[in-house]
Amino acid sequence: MVYFHTELDELLKEPEGWNSGFFTNGRGMKLRHGSLKNHDKPKANIVLVHGLSEYLDKFFELSRIFNERGCNLYTYDQAGCGLSERFDYDRSRSHTDSMDEDIRDLLQFRMDHVPDNAPTIVFGHSTGGLIVTRAAQTEPEAFDGAVLSSPLLGHKIKAARATERLLAHADFLPDSVKKKYAPSVGPWKKRTGSKPDLPSEDFTRDPIRQQLHDHLPIHNPDYRIGGPTLGWMIERAKGMRDALKDENIRKIRIPFFAAAAGEDVLVNNEKLKSLMSRIPTPSHMMTFVGAKHE
């Protein structure tokens, strides 16, 4: 069946009242942010943190859904993603210089751009869920609650899972090596069924959303971003290791809700179960049977 662009364009249409702009993070990089804040007295302020190589336009529909339920939503393109400033050496690679810097970007965005007129709930998807978890452990008072959607706390893919512990101790590698693509990945291309890339059907069962991730990058090269670098893998491995340490889990002071995809081929749900079972605050985890990563 063919799905016309009009259906995808509807998902990517800016919600009425959408605000956008740029802010400068602590590293001097300009990051794009956006918000839907139509309520003077919202039930909650939602801070959305996206996953690997995503962009905030993908979440316009979710913004409208939260808005219809009385909540305001705030989000941003992470450094090196979407229309935020890319890393100078090669704008096409998914990279991060530091997990700690990613956490600081989130905390800065929360303090500078999200008002205190309602409870603030931070919502992290995939790698965003890892950043959210570490932020809640680093600054326990920054948010009033956290939601994790298919968070990256461990890899499901065997090759990546086998190297997690090794990568977490590979920080000694020079920057020139860290900035190279990780094995088996390269520059941006449309998601297909050809290996080593995962086909789009591995991310979602929804035939429209199978096209959504690549829709803007196909038509606008500014959105294109390729596979992760070795440095990205190292920093995320360090983050996963630290997120699951008992001493860090005990620092959590807010309730957590986690949504796991029953047929996720990217993240390890057993690691999520381990985290949720040890959180000292009220927590709840649901597994959506038959759901995929997105």
Side-chain angles (χ1 to χ4, degrees):
M1 183 179 294
V2 176
Y3 291 90
F4 296 101
H5 283 173
T6 51
E7 297 184 59
L8 288 168
D9 290 340
E10 186 65 27
L11 292 179
L12 290 166
K13 182 190 297 182
E14 284 192 3
E16 184 177 351
W18 183 261
N19 302 275
S20 62
F22 289 83
F23 72 96
T24 302
N25 68 8
R27 291 166 281 177
M29 299 178 71
K30 290 185 178 180
L31 307 189
R32 179 176 66 147
H33 67 93
S35 59
L36 187 62
K37 44 186 179 181
N38 291 336
H39 301 287
D40 293 330
K41 297 181 179 179
K43 294 179 180 178
N45 290 319
I46 311 297
V47 179
L48 177 63
V49 187
H50 66 70
L52 172 66
S53 75
E54 292 188 314
Y55 45 87
L56 61 82
D57 312 64
K58 286 186 65 177
F59 299 96
F60 284 158
E61 182 187 27
L62 186 59
S63 301
R64 285 190 285 266
I65 291 171
F66 275 122
N67 191 249
E68 290 166 359
R69 287 156 175 75
C71 299
N72 291 339
L73 184 136
Y74 301 80
T75 188
Y76 63 99
D77 287 343
Q78 294 173 39
C81 296
L83 297 185
S84 285
E85 186 174 341
R86 302 293 180 91
F87 294 93
D88 290 339
Y89 70 94
D90 185 346
R91 63 174 282 107
S92 69
R93 306 184 192 199
S94 293
H95 182 67
T96 181
D97 285 330
S98 167
M99 184 77 192
D100 291 338
E101 293 285 1
D102 296 328
I103 295 167
R104 280 192 281 270
D105 287 348
L106 168 58
L107 295 173
Q108 177 187 342
F109 178 70
R110 188 279 181 248
M111 296 305 296
D112 293 348
H113 297 278
V114 183
D116 291 319
N117 60 347
T120 300
I121 310 300
V122 61
F123 184 119
H125 172 64
S126 193
T127 58
L130 173 60
I131 294 171
V132 164
T133 302
R134 291 293 295 124
Q137 295 170 344
T138 303
E139 291 290 341
E141 307 302 324
F143 303 99
D144 298 297
V147 177
L148 308 180
S149 165
S150 302
L152 178 64
L153 296 169
H155 290 98
K156 183 73 173 290
I157 301 170
K158 288 184 178 180
R161 190 168 69 240
T163 60
E164 282 177 10
R165 184 174 298 182
L166 178 63
L167 286 171
H169 294 88
D171 202 34
F172 62 88
L173 292 174
D175 285 345
S176 59
V177 175
K178 291 181 182 179
K179 291 177 179 178
K180 295 182 181 296
Y181 283 113
S184 301
V185 299
W188 179 88
K189 63 179 179 179
K190 184 180 178 181
R191 290 203 282 217
T192 68
S194 60
K195 294 183 178 181
D197 295 336
L198 290 165
S200 58
E201 290 82 357
D202 277 345
F203 290 81
T204 173
R205 288 188 178 279
D206 189 295
I208 299 294
R209 287 178 177 78
Q210 286 175 6
Q211 304 170 61
L212 177 60
H213 183 83
D214 285 332
H215 185 60
L216 276 181
I218 287 172
H219 298 287
N220 186 342
D222 288 341
Y223 283 85
R224 293 178 184 176
I225 186 168
T229 62
L230 188 58
W232 187 95
M233 298 291 292
I234 290 170
E235 290 301 318
R236 295 302 177 246
K238 288 163 56 180
M240 291 186 292
R241 175 199 64 194
D242 293 341
L244 294 171
K245 287 182 177 179
D246 284 335
E247 60 266 33
N248 290 331
I249 294 175
R250 286 195 294 267
K251 295 176 183 176
I252 293 174
R253 297 289 180 269
I254 58 176
F256 265 57
F257 172 80
E263 294 189 15
D264 203 319
V265 299
L266 293 174
V267 303
N268 186 343
N269 287 334
E270 293 304 313
K271 295 291 184 71
L272 175 58
K273 292 178 183 178
S274 175
L275 170 73
M276 297 298 288
S277 68
R278 292 183 283 152
I279 289 177
T281 53
S283 61
H284 183 67
M285 175 177 170
M286 288 184 64
T287 299
F288 291 82
V289 178
K292 295 191 176 184
H293 185 67
E294 293 184 357

